[in-house]
Amino acid sequence: MVQEPTDAIGPLGAKSMSESPFNPVAPASANARRDATGVRFPAVPLTRDRVWLRLRDAGVTEGSVNRAS
């Protein structure tokens, strides 16, 4: 059974679904910061003030940052 496309917007009638608004940069940056510090950053934007406050609240200081081996 073959169904003919009824929408001529995309190839074979397909439409894009959520690729346009998807931007992986902010989550990747938050994950990199978590990997480097051990502190999760759940909210964006990751402003320097938010990052510093999260690190301060978690008790992370310059000498106690977890570095990958």
Side-chain angles (χ1 to χ4, degrees):
M1 173 181 238
V2 176
Q3 183 174 356
E4 294 296 323
T6 58
D7 194 349
I9 290 179
L12 302 175
K15 290 185 180 180
S16 172
M17 185 173 166
S18 77
E19 288 95 11
S20 298
F22 181 70
N23 186 349
V25 175
S29 177
N31 286 337
R33 291 167 200 246
R34 183 194 60 211
D35 290 346
T37 64
V39 178
R40 186 168 182 272
F41 299 91
V44 291
L46 294 171
T47 63
R48 63 181 171 198
D49 294 333
R50 281 187 178 180
V51 170
W52 184 83
L53 288 172
R54 290 282 295 161
L55 293 175
R56 185 195 65 184
D57 293 346
V60 176
T61 61
E62 188 175 328
S64 65
V65 173
N66 299 328
R67 301 207 191 289
S69 298

